[in-house]
Amino acid sequence: MKTRLSKLLTVKSLVTMTLTIIFSFLAVTGKIPTRDYMTIYTVIISFYFGTQAEKNVSRETREVRNNAD
């Protein structure tokens, strides 16, 4: 539980959650068009999950190399 919470509180996660909340609020209140919201949100989420996937691949590669030694 502590590990999950510490991972959730990384800068990247906090920025992603904050932007999600802000842009959701702006879209609901009509301050930005839904189309623009979807574009912005897609970029943010793609970046977040893309970097998470890259980190996981790096970790797996390191583990394979360590097990081979």
Side-chain angles (χ1 to χ4, degrees):
M1 180 73 174
K2 230 181 216 184
T3 311
R4 287 183 126 181
L5 184 60
S6 67
K7 287 182 181 181
L8 184 62
L9 294 177
T10 63
V11 173
K12 182 175 53 174
S13 296
L14 290 173
V15 169
T16 302
M17 289 186 295
T18 302
L19 288 174
T20 298
I21 292 167
I22 290 170
F23 284 113
S24 296
F25 175 77
L26 292 174
V28 168
T29 59
K31 305 261 188 220
I32 61 171
T34 305
R35 182 186 60 203
D36 292 344
Y37 166 77
M38 288 304 296
T39 302
I40 294 165
Y41 189 70
T42 302
V43 169
I44 292 168
I45 296 302
S46 298
F47 174 76
Y48 178 76
F49 284 109
T51 55
Q52 288 296 101
E54 184 178 319
K55 185 192 300 185
N56 289 340
V57 168
S58 305
R59 186 179 310 135
E60 289 173 5
T61 303
R62 252 192 329 256
E63 289 174 0
V64 168
R65 286 182 185 160
N66 288 339
N67 290 336
D69 293 338

